[in-house]
Coordinates of all heavy atoms in Angstrom, one line a residue:
T16 N 7.1 -7.8 5.6 CA 8.1 -8.0 6.6 C 7.5 -8.7 7.9 O 6.5 -8.2 8.4 CB 8.8 -6.7 7.0 OG1 9.3 -6.1 5.8 CG2 9.9 -6.9 8.0
V17 N 8.1 -9.7 8.3 CA 7.7 -10.4 9.6 C 8.9 -10.6 10.5 O 10.0 -10.8 10.0 CB 6.9 -11.7 9.3 CG1 5.7 -11.4 8.5 CG2 7.8 -12.7 8.7
L18 N 8.7 -10.7 11.7 CA 9.8 -11.2 12.6 C 10.0 -12.6 12.4 O 9.1 -13.4 12.1 CB 9.3 -10.9 14.1 CG 9.1 -9.5 14.5 CD1 8.6 -9.4 15.9 CD2 10.5 -8.7 14.5
A19 N 11.3 -13.1 12.5 CA 11.6 -14.5 12.2 C 10.8 -15.4 13.1 O 10.4 -16.5 12.7 CB 13.1 -14.7 12.5
V20 N 10.6 -15.0 14.4 CA 9.8 -15.9 15.3 C 8.4 -16.1 14.8 O 7.8 -17.1 15.1 CB 9.9 -15.3 16.7 CG1 9.1 -14.0 16.8 CG2 9.4 -16.3 17.7
M21 N 7.9 -15.2 14.0 CA 6.5 -15.3 13.5 C 6.4 -16.4 12.4 O 5.4 -16.9 12.1 CB 6.0 -14.0 13.0 CG 5.8 -12.9 14.0 SD 5.6 -11.2 13.4 CE 4.0 -11.4 12.6
A22 N 7.6 -16.7 11.8 CA 7.6 -17.7 10.8 C 7.8 -19.1 11.3 O 7.8 -20.1 10.6 CB 8.7 -17.4 9.8
D23 N 8.1 -19.2 12.6 CA 8.3 -20.5 13.2 C 7.1 -21.5 12.9 O 6.0 -21.1 13.1 CB 8.5 -20.3 14.7 CG 8.9 -21.6 15.4 OD1 9.6 -22.4 14.8 OD2 8.4 -21.9 16.6
G24 N 7.5 -22.6 12.4 CA 6.4 -23.6 12.1 C 5.8 -23.4 10.7 O 4.9 -24.2 10.3
H25 N 6.2 -22.4 10.0 CA 5.6 -22.2 8.6 C 6.6 -22.4 7.5 O 7.8 -22.3 7.8 CB 5.1 -20.7 8.5 CG 4.0 -20.4 9.4 ND1 4.2 -20.1 10.8 CD2 2.7 -20.2 9.2 CE1 3.0 -19.8 11.3 NE2 2.1 -19.9 10.3
A26 N 6.1 -22.8 6.4 CA 7.0 -22.9 5.2 C 7.5 -21.5 4.8 O 6.7 -20.5 4.9 CB 6.3 -23.5 4.0
V27 N 8.7 -21.4 4.4 CA 9.3 -20.1 4.0 C 9.8 -20.2 2.6 O 10.6 -21.1 2.3 CB 10.4 -19.6 4.9 CG1 11.1 -18.3 4.4 CG2 9.9 -19.4 6.3
R28 N 9.2 -19.4 1.7 CA 9.6 -19.5 0.3 C 10.6 -18.3 0.0 O 10.3 -17.2 0.4 CB 8.4 -19.4 -0.6 CG 8.8 -19.4 -2.1 CD 7.6 -19.1 -3.0 NE 6.8 -20.4 -3.1 CZ 5.7 -20.4 -3.8 NH1 5.2 -19.4 -4.4 NH2 5.0 -21.5 -3.8
T29 N 11.7 -18.6 -0.6 CA 12.6 -17.5 -1.0 C 12.7 -17.5 -2.5 O 12.3 -18.4 -3.2 CB 14.0 -17.7 -0.4 OG1 14.6 -18.9 -1.0 CG2 14.0 -17.8 1.1
I30 N 13.3 -16.4 -3.1 CA 13.4 -16.3 -4.5 C 14.2 -17.5 -5.1 O 14.0 -17.9 -6.2 CB 14.0 -14.9 -4.9 CG1 13.8 -14.6 -6.4 CG2 15.5 -14.8 -4.5 CD1 12.4 -14.5 -6.8
E31 N 15.2 -18.0 -4.4 CA 16.0 -19.1 -4.9 C 15.2 -20.3 -5.1 O 15.6 -21.2 -6.0 CB 17.1 -19.4 -3.9 CG 18.2 -18.3 -3.8 CD 17.8 -17.1 -3.0 OE1 16.8 -17.2 -2.3 OE2 18.6 -16.1 -3.0
G32 N 14.1 -20.5 -4.5 CA 13.2 -21.7 -4.6 C 12.0 -21.4 -5.5 O 11.1 -22.2 -5.5
M33 N 12.0 -20.3 -6.2 CA 10.8 -20.0 -7.0 C 10.6 -20.7 -8.3 O 9.5 -21.0 -8.7 CB 10.7 -18.5 -7.2 CG 9.4 -18.0 -7.8 SD 9.3 -16.2 -7.8 CE 7.6 -16.1 -8.2
A34 N 11.7 -20.9 -9.0 CA 11.7 -21.6 -10.3 C 11.0 -23.0 -10.2 O 11.1 -23.6 -9.1 CB 13.0 -21.7 -11.0
R35 N 10.4 -23.4 -11.2 CA 9.8 -24.7 -11.2 C 10.7 -25.7 -11.9 O 11.5 -25.3 -12.7 CB 8.4 -24.7 -12.0 CG 7.5 -23.7 -11.3 CD 6.2 -23.6 -12.0 NE 5.2 -22.8 -11.2 CZ 4.0 -22.5 -11.6 NH1 3.6 -23.0 -12.8 NH2 3.2 -21.8 -10.9
P36 N 10.5 -27.0 -11.7 CA 11.3 -28.0 -12.4 C 11.2 -27.8 -13.9 O 10.1 -27.7 -14.4 CB 10.8 -29.3 -11.9 CG 10.1 -29.0 -10.6 CD 9.6 -27.6 -10.7
G37 N 12.3 -27.6 -14.6 CA 12.3 -27.5 -16.0 C 12.1 -26.0 -16.5 O 12.1 -25.8 -17.7
G38 N 12.0 -25.1 -15.6 CA 11.9 -23.7 -16.1 C 11.5 -22.7 -15.1 O 11.4 -23.0 -13.9
L39 N 11.3 -21.5 -15.5 CA 10.9 -20.4 -14.6 C 9.4 -20.5 -14.2 O 8.6 -21.0 -15.0 CB 11.2 -19.1 -15.3 CG 12.6 -18.8 -15.7 CD1 12.7 -17.4 -16.5 CD2 13.5 -18.7 -14.4
D40 N 9.1 -19.9 -13.1 CA 7.7 -19.7 -12.7 C 7.1 -18.7 -13.7 O 7.9 -17.8 -14.2 CB 7.7 -19.1 -11.3 CG 6.3 -18.9 -10.8 OD1 5.6 -18.0 -11.2 OD2 5.9 -19.7 -9.9
P41 N 5.9 -18.8 -14.1 CA 5.3 -17.9 -15.0 C 5.4 -16.4 -14.6 O 5.5 -15.5 -15.4 CB 3.8 -18.3 -15.1 CG 3.8 -19.8 -14.8 CD 5.0 -19.9 -13.8
V42 N 5.5 -16.2 -13.3 CA 5.7 -14.8 -12.8 C 7.1 -14.3 -13.2 O 7.2 -13.2 -13.7 CB 5.5 -14.7 -11.3 CG1 6.0 -13.4 -10.8 CG2 4.0 -15.0 -10.9
Q43 N 8.1 -15.2 -13.1 CA 9.4 -14.8 -13.5 C 9.5 -14.5 -15.0 O 10.1 -13.5 -15.4 CB 10.4 -15.9 -13.1 CG 10.6 -16.1 -11.6 CD 11.4 -17.3 -11.3 OE1 11.1 -18.4 -11.7 NE2 12.5 -17.1 -10.6
Q44 N 8.9 -15.4 -15.8 CA 8.9 -15.2 -17.2 C 8.2 -13.9 -17.6 O 8.6 -13.2 -18.5 CB 8.3 -16.4 -17.9 CG 8.5 -16.4 -19.4 CD 10.0 -16.3 -19.8 OE1 10.8 -17.2 -19.4 NE2 10.4 -15.3 -20.6
A45 N 7.0 -13.6 -17.0 CA 6.3 -12.4 -17.3 C 7.0 -11.2 -17.0 O 6.9 -10.2 -17.7 CB 4.9 -12.5 -16.5
F46 N 7.8 -11.2 -15.9 CA 8.6 -10.0 -15.5 C 9.7 -9.8 -16.6 O 10.0 -8.6 -16.9 CB 9.2 -10.1 -14.1 CG 8.4 -9.6 -13.0 CD1 7.2 -10.1 -12.7 CD2 8.8 -8.4 -12.3 CE1 6.4 -9.6 -11.7 CE2 8.0 -7.9 -11.3 CZ 6.8 -8.5 -11.0
I47 N 10.2 -10.8 -17.1 CA 11.2 -10.7 -18.2 C 10.5 -10.2 -19.5 O 10.9 -9.2 -20.1 CB 11.8 -12.0 -18.5 CG1 12.7 -12.5 -17.4 CG2 12.7 -12.0 -19.8 CD1 13.2 -13.9 -17.5
D48 N 9.3 -10.8 -19.8 CA 8.6 -10.4 -21.1 C 8.1 -9.0 -21.0 O 8.0 -8.3 -22.1 CB 7.5 -11.4 -21.3 CG 7.9 -12.8 -21.6 OD1 9.1 -13.0 -21.9 OD2 7.1 -13.7 -21.4
C49 N 7.7 -8.5 -19.9 CA 7.0 -7.2 -19.8 C 8.0 -6.1 -19.2 O 7.6 -5.0 -18.9 CB 5.8 -7.3 -18.8 SG 4.5 -8.3 -19.4
H50 N 9.3 -6.5 -19.1 CA 10.3 -5.5 -18.6 C 9.8 -5.0 -17.2 O 9.8 -3.8 -17.0 CB 10.5 -4.4 -19.6 CG 10.9 -4.9 -21.0 ND1 12.1 -5.4 -21.3 CD2 10.1 -4.9 -22.1 CE1 12.1 -5.8 -22.5 NE2 10.9 -5.5 -23.1
G51 N 9.5 -5.9 -16.4 CA 9.0 -5.5 -15.0 C 10.1 -5.3 -14.0 O 9.8 -5.2 -12.8
L52 N 11.3 -5.1 -14.5 CA 12.4 -4.8 -13.6 C 13.5 -4.0 -14.3 O 13.5 -4.0 -15.6 CB 13.1 -6.0 -13.0 CG 13.8 -6.9 -14.1 CD1 15.1 -7.3 -13.6 CD2 12.9 -8.1 -14.4
Q53 N 14.2 -3.2 -13.5 CA 15.4 -2.5 -14.1 C 16.6 -2.9 -13.3 O 17.4 -3.7 -13.7 CB 15.1 -1.0 -14.1 CG 14.0 -0.7 -15.2 CD 13.7 0.8 -15.3 OE1 14.5 1.7 -14.9 NE2 12.5 1.1 -15.7
C54 N 16.8 -2.3 -12.1 CA 18.0 -2.6 -11.4 C 17.9 -3.9 -10.6 O 18.9 -4.5 -10.3 CB 18.3 -1.5 -10.4 SG 17.3 -1.5 -8.8
G55 N 16.7 -4.4 -10.3 CA 16.5 -5.7 -9.7 C 16.4 -5.6 -8.2 O 16.2 -6.7 -7.6
F56 N 16.6 -4.5 -7.6 CA 16.7 -4.4 -6.1 C 15.3 -4.9 -5.5 O 15.3 -5.6 -4.5 CB 17.0 -3.0 -5.7 CG 17.1 -2.8 -4.2 CD1 18.3 -3.2 -3.5 CD2 16.0 -2.3 -3.5 CE1 18.4 -3.0 -2.2 CE2 16.1 -2.2 -2.1 CZ 17.3 -2.5 -1.4
C57 N 14.2 -4.5 -6.1 CA 12.9 -4.8 -5.5 C 12.4 -6.1 -6.1 O 11.4 -6.7 -5.6 CB 11.9 -3.7 -5.8 SG 11.5 -3.6 -7.6
T58 N 13.0 -6.7 -7.1 CA 12.5 -7.8 -7.9 C 12.2 -9.0 -7.1 O 11.1 -9.6 -7.2 CB 13.4 -8.1 -9.1 OG1 13.6 -6.9 -9.8 CG2 12.7 -9.1 -10.0
P59 N 13.0 -9.5 -6.2 CA 12.7 -10.7 -5.4 C 11.4 -10.5 -4.6 O 10.5 -11.4 -4.6 CB 13.9 -11.0 -4.5 CG 15.0 -10.4 -5.2 CD 14.4 -9.1 -5.9
A60 N 11.2 -9.4 -4.0 CA 10.0 -9.2 -3.2 C 8.8 -9.0 -4.2 O 7.7 -9.6 -3.8 CB 10.1 -7.9 -2.4
M61 N 9.0 -8.4 -5.3 CA 7.9 -8.3 -6.3 C 7.4 -9.7 -6.8 O 6.2 -10.0 -6.9 CB 8.3 -7.4 -7.4 CG 8.4 -6.0 -7.1 SD 6.8 -5.2 -6.8 CE 7.3 -3.5 -6.7
L62 N 8.4 -10.5 -7.1 CA 8.1 -11.8 -7.7 C 7.4 -12.7 -6.6 O 6.4 -13.4 -6.9 CB 9.4 -12.5 -8.1 CG 10.1 -11.9 -9.3 CD1 11.4 -12.5 -9.6 CD2 9.2 -12.0 -10.6
L63 N 7.9 -12.7 -5.4 CA 7.3 -13.5 -4.4 C 5.9 -13.0 -4.0 O 5.0 -13.8 -3.8 CB 8.2 -13.6 -3.1 CG 9.5 -14.4 -3.4 CD1 10.5 -14.1 -2.2 CD2 9.2 -15.9 -3.5
T64 N 5.7 -11.7 -4.0 CA 4.4 -11.2 -3.7 C 3.5 -11.5 -4.8 O 2.3 -11.8 -4.5 CB 4.5 -9.7 -3.4 OG1 5.4 -9.5 -2.3 CG2 3.2 -9.0 -3.1
A65 N 3.9 -11.4 -6.0 CA 3.1 -11.7 -7.2 C 2.6 -13.1 -7.1 O 1.5 -13.4 -7.4 CB 3.8 -11.4 -8.5
R66 N 3.6 -14.0 -6.8 CA 3.2 -15.5 -6.8 C 2.2 -15.7 -5.7 O 1.2 -16.4 -5.9 CB 4.5 -16.3 -6.6 CG 4.3 -17.8 -6.4 CD 3.3 -18.5 -7.3 NE 3.5 -18.3 -8.7 CZ 2.5 -18.3 -9.6 NH1 1.2 -18.4 -9.2 NH2 2.7 -18.1 -10.9
W67 N 2.4 -15.1 -4.5 CA 1.4 -15.2 -3.4 C 0.1 -14.7 -3.8 O -1.0 -15.4 -3.6 CB 1.9 -14.5 -2.2 CG 0.8 -14.3 -1.2 CD1 0.4 -15.2 -0.2 CD2 -0.1 -13.2 -1.0 NE1 -0.7 -14.7 0.5 CE2 -1.0 -13.4 0.0 CE3 -0.1 -11.9 -1.7 CZ2 -2.0 -12.5 0.4 CZ3 -1.1 -11.0 -1.3 CH2 -2.0 -11.4 -0.3
L68 N 0.1 -13.6 -4.5 CA -1.2 -13.0 -4.9 C -1.9 -13.9 -5.9 O -3.1 -14.2 -5.7 CB -1.0 -11.6 -5.6 CG -2.2 -11.0 -6.2 CD1 -3.2 -10.6 -5.1 CD2 -1.8 -9.7 -7.0
L69 N -1.2 -14.4 -6.9 CA -1.9 -15.3 -7.9 C -2.3 -16.6 -7.3 O -3.2 -17.2 -7.8 CB -1.0 -15.4 -9.1 CG -0.7 -14.1 -9.8 CD1 0.3 -14.4 -11.0 CD2 -1.9 -13.4 -10.2
D70 N -1.6 -17.1 -6.3 CA -2.0 -18.3 -5.6 C -3.2 -18.1 -4.8 O -4.0 -19.1 -4.5 CB -0.8 -18.9 -4.7 CG 0.3 -19.5 -5.5 OD1 0.1 -19.7 -6.7 OD2 1.4 -19.7 -4.9
T71 N -3.5 -16.9 -4.3 CA -4.6 -16.7 -3.4 C -5.8 -16.0 -4.2 O -6.9 -16.0 -3.8 CB -4.2 -15.8 -2.2 OG1 -3.6 -14.6 -2.6 CG2 -3.2 -16.6 -1.3
T72 N -5.4 -15.2 -5.2 CA -6.4 -14.5 -6.0 C -6.0 -14.7 -7.5 O -5.3 -13.9 -8.1 CB -6.3 -13.0 -5.7 OG1 -6.5 -12.9 -4.2 CG2 -7.4 -12.2 -6.3
P73 N -6.5 -15.7 -8.1 CA -6.0 -16.1 -9.5 C -6.3 -15.1 -10.6 O -5.6 -15.0 -11.6 CB -6.7 -17.4 -9.8 CG -7.1 -18.0 -8.5 CD -7.4 -16.8 -7.6
D74 N -7.3 -14.2 -10.4 CA -7.7 -13.3 -11.4 C -7.8 -11.9 -10.8 O -8.9 -11.3 -10.7 CB -9.0 -13.7 -12.1 CG -9.3 -12.8 -13.3 OD1 -8.4 -12.2 -13.9 OD2 -10.5 -12.7 -13.7
P75 N -6.6 -11.3 -10.3 CA -6.7 -10.1 -9.6 C -7.0 -8.9 -10.4 O -6.6 -8.8 -11.6 CB -5.3 -10.0 -9.0 CG -4.4 -10.7 -10.0 CD -5.3 -11.8 -10.5
T76 N -7.7 -7.9 -9.8 CA -7.9 -6.6 -10.5 C -6.6 -5.8 -10.4 O -5.7 -6.1 -9.6 CB -9.1 -5.8 -9.8 OG1 -8.7 -5.5 -8.5 CG2 -10.4 -6.7 -9.8
D77 N -6.6 -4.7 -11.2 CA -5.5 -3.8 -11.1 C -5.3 -3.3 -9.7 O -4.2 -3.2 -9.1 CB -5.6 -2.6 -12.0 CG -5.3 -2.9 -13.5 OD1 -5.1 -4.1 -13.8 OD2 -5.2 -2.0 -14.3
E78 N -6.4 -3.0 -9.0 CA -6.4 -2.5 -7.7 C -5.8 -3.5 -6.7 O -5.1 -3.2 -5.8 CB -7.8 -2.0 -7.2 CG -7.8 -1.4 -5.8 CD -9.2 -0.9 -5.4 OE1 -10.0 -0.7 -6.3 OE2 -9.4 -0.6 -4.2
E79 N -6.3 -4.8 -6.9 CA -5.7 -5.8 -6.0 C -4.2 -6.0 -6.2 O -3.5 -6.3 -5.3 CB -6.5 -7.1 -6.3 CG -7.9 -7.1 -5.7 CD -8.8 -8.3 -6.2 OE1 -8.6 -8.8 -7.3 OE2 -9.6 -8.7 -5.4
I80 N -3.8 -5.9 -7.5 CA -2.4 -6.0 -7.7 C -1.6 -4.9 -7.0 O -0.6 -5.1 -6.3 CB -2.1 -6.0 -9.2 CG1 -2.6 -7.3 -9.9 CG2 -0.6 -5.9 -9.5 CD1 -2.6 -7.3 -11.4
R81 N -2.1 -3.7 -7.2 CA -1.4 -2.5 -6.7 C -1.4 -2.5 -5.1 O -0.5 -2.1 -4.5 CB -2.0 -1.2 -7.2 CG -1.7 -1.0 -8.7 CD -2.2 0.3 -9.3 NE -1.9 0.4 -10.7 CZ -0.8 0.8 -11.2 NH1 0.2 1.1 -10.4 NH2 -0.6 0.8 -12.5
T82 N -2.5 -3.0 -4.6 CA -2.6 -3.2 -3.1 C -1.6 -4.2 -2.6 O -0.9 -4.0 -1.6 CB -4.0 -3.6 -2.7 OG1 -4.9 -2.5 -3.0 CG2 -4.1 -3.8 -1.2
A83 N -1.5 -5.3 -3.3 CA -0.5 -6.4 -2.9 C 0.9 -5.9 -2.9 O 1.7 -6.3 -2.0 CB -0.7 -7.6 -3.8
I84 N 1.3 -5.1 -3.9 CA 2.7 -4.6 -4.0 C 2.9 -3.3 -3.3 O 4.0 -2.8 -3.4 CB 3.2 -4.6 -5.5 CG1 2.4 -3.6 -6.3 CG2 3.1 -6.0 -6.0 CD1 2.9 -3.5 -7.7
A85 N 1.9 -2.7 -2.7 CA 2.0 -1.4 -2.1 C 3.2 -1.3 -1.1 O 3.7 -0.2 -0.9 CB 0.7 -1.0 -1.5
G86 N 3.5 -2.3 -0.4 CA 4.6 -2.3 0.6 C 6.0 -2.4 0.1 O 6.9 -2.4 0.8
I87 N 6.1 -2.6 -1.2 CA 7.4 -2.8 -1.9 C 7.7 -1.5 -2.7 O 7.0 -1.2 -3.6 CB 7.4 -4.0 -2.8 CG1 6.9 -5.2 -2.1 CG2 8.8 -4.3 -3.3 CD1 6.5 -6.4 -3.0
T88 N 8.8 -0.9 -2.3 CA 9.2 0.3 -3.0 C 10.1 0.0 -4.2 O 11.1 -0.7 -4.1 CB 10.0 1.2 -2.1 OG1 9.2 1.6 -1.0 CG2 10.5 2.5 -2.8
C89 N 9.7 0.4 -5.4 CA 10.5 0.3 -6.6 C 10.9 1.7 -7.0 O 10.0 2.5 -7.3 CB 9.7 -0.4 -7.7 SG 10.7 -0.5 -9.2
R90 N 12.2 2.0 -7.0 CA 12.6 3.3 -7.4 C 12.8 3.5 -8.9 O 13.2 4.6 -9.3 CB 13.9 3.7 -6.6 CG 15.0 2.7 -6.9 CD 16.2 2.9 -6.1 NE 17.2 1.9 -6.5 CZ 18.5 2.0 -6.1 NH1 18.9 2.9 -5.4 NH2 19.3 1.0 -6.5
C91 N 12.7 2.4 -9.6 CA 13.0 2.5 -11.0 C 11.9 2.5 -12.0 O 11.9 3.2 -13.0 CB 13.9 1.2 -11.4 SG 15.4 1.1 -10.4
T92 N 10.9 1.6 -11.8 CA 10.0 1.3 -12.9 C 8.8 2.1 -13.1 O 8.2 2.1 -14.1 CB 9.6 -0.2 -12.8 OG1 8.7 -0.3 -11.7 CG2 10.7 -1.1 -12.7
G93 N 8.3 2.7 -12.0 CA 7.0 3.4 -12.1 C 5.8 2.5 -12.0 O 4.7 2.9 -12.1
Y94 N 6.1 1.2 -11.8 CA 5.1 0.2 -11.4 C 4.3 -0.3 -12.6 O 3.7 -1.4 -12.5 CB 4.2 0.6 -10.3 CG 5.0 0.8 -9.0 CD1 5.4 2.1 -8.7 CD2 5.2 -0.3 -8.1 CE1 6.2 2.3 -7.5 CE2 5.9 -0.1 -6.9 CZ 6.4 1.2 -6.6 OH 7.1 1.4 -5.5
A95 N 4.1 0.4 -13.7 CA 3.2 0.1 -14.8 C 3.6 -1.3 -15.3 O 2.8 -2.2 -15.5 CB 3.2 1.1 -15.9
N96 N 4.9 -1.5 -15.6 CA 5.3 -2.8 -16.2 C 5.2 -3.9 -15.2 O 5.0 -5.1 -15.6 CB 6.7 -2.7 -16.8 CG 6.8 -1.9 -18.1 OD1 5.7 -1.5 -18.6 ND2 7.9 -1.6 -18.6
I97 N 5.4 -3.6 -13.9 CA 5.2 -4.6 -12.9 C 3.8 -5.1 -12.9 O 3.5 -6.3 -12.9 CB 5.7 -4.1 -11.5 CG1 7.2 -3.9 -11.5 CG2 5.2 -5.0 -10.4 CD1 7.7 -3.2 -10.3
V98 N 2.8 -4.2 -12.9 CA 1.4 -4.6 -12.9 C 1.1 -5.3 -14.2 O 0.4 -6.4 -14.1 CB 0.5 -3.3 -12.8 CG1 -0.9 -3.6 -13.0 CG2 0.7 -2.6 -11.4
R99 N 1.6 -4.9 -15.3 CA 1.4 -5.6 -16.5 C 2.0 -7.0 -16.5 O 1.3 -8.0 -17.0 CB 2.1 -4.8 -17.7 CG 1.5 -5.0 -19.0 CD 2.0 -4.0 -20.1 NE 1.5 -2.7 -19.7 CZ 2.3 -1.6 -19.6 NH1 3.6 -1.7 -19.9 NH2 1.8 -0.4 -19.4
A100 N 3.1 -7.2 -15.9 CA 3.7 -8.5 -15.7 C 2.9 -9.4 -14.9 O 2.7 -10.6 -15.2 CB 5.1 -8.4 -15.2
I101 N 2.3 -8.9 -13.8 CA 1.5 -9.7 -12.9 C 0.2 -10.1 -13.7 O -0.3 -11.3 -13.5 CB 1.2 -9.0 -11.6 CG1 2.6 -8.9 -10.9 CG2 0.2 -9.8 -10.7 CD1 2.5 -8.0 -9.6
Q102 N -0.4 -9.2 -14.4 CA -1.5 -9.5 -15.2 C -1.2 -10.6 -16.2 O -2.0 -11.6 -16.4 CB -2.0 -8.3 -16.0 CG -2.6 -7.2 -15.1 CD -2.8 -5.9 -15.8 OE1 -2.1 -5.6 -16.8 NE2 -3.8 -5.1 -15.3
K103 N -0.1 -10.5 -16.9 CA 0.3 -11.6 -17.8 C 0.5 -12.9 -17.2 O 0.1 -14.0 -17.7 CB 1.6 -11.1 -18.6 CG 2.0 -12.2 -19.6 CD 3.2 -11.8 -20.4 CE 3.5 -12.9 -21.4 NZ 4.4 -12.6 -22.4
A104 N 1.2 -12.9 -16.0 CA 1.4 -14.2 -15.3 C 0.0 -14.8 -14.9 O -0.1 -16.0 -14.9 CB 2.2 -13.9 -14.0
A105 N -0.9 -14.0 -14.5 CA -2.3 -14.5 -14.2 C -2.9 -15.2 -15.4 O -3.5 -16.2 -15.3 CB -3.2 -13.4 -13.7
E106 N -2.7 -14.6 -16.6 CA -3.2 -15.2 -17.8 C -2.5 -16.5 -18.1 O -3.1 -17.5 -18.5 CB -3.0 -14.2 -19.0 CG -3.8 -13.0 -18.9 CD -3.4 -11.9 -19.9 OE1 -2.5 -12.2 -20.8 OE2 -3.9 -10.8 -19.8
E107 N -1.2 -16.5 -17.9 CA -0.4 -17.8 -18.1 C -0.9 -18.9 -17.1 O -1.0 -20.0 -17.5 CB 1.1 -17.5 -17.9 CG 1.7 -16.6 -19.0 CD 1.6 -17.3 -20.4 OE1 1.8 -18.5 -20.5 OE2 1.3 -16.6 -21.4
D108 N -1.1 -18.5 -15.8 CA -1.5 -19.5 -14.9 C -2.9 -20.1 -15.3 O -3.1 -21.2 -15.0 CB -1.7 -18.8 -13.5 CG -0.4 -18.6 -12.7 OD1 0.7 -19.1 -13.2 OD2 -0.4 -18.1 -11.6
A109 N -3.8 -19.2 -15.8 CA -5.1 -19.7 -16.2 C -5.1 -20.5 -17.4 O -6.1 -21.3 -17.7 CB -6.0 -18.5 -16.4
A110 N -4.1 -20.4 -18.3 CA -4.0 -21.2 -19.6 C -3.8 -22.6 -19.3 O -3.3 -23.1 -18.4 CB -3.0 -20.6 -20.5
Ligands
FES10 FE1 15.0 -1.0 -9.4 FE2 12.6 -1.9 -8.7 S1 13.7 -2.4 -10.5 S2 14.0 -0.8 -7.5

């Protein structure tokens, strides 16, 4: 979470702009494949955070994944499938 004024002059990515031409971002597909969501309330934040993590840390450890998503509360999944989805997306990015 940032104040809007802190984003002045920076690019802002939203979930609506995440898909790539011709298909989903690998993070989006991995969340589908690994059942990384249930109600979907936390999912936009999870997806955007996962994409940021993989863009800055292409081969994250479990601890790095859990640290990256620590500020996002998911009341549904227990996080295991979310971590698994991010690991799968990392593998897809590397392929
Ligand atoms: Fe429901 Fe995360 S999927 S809060």
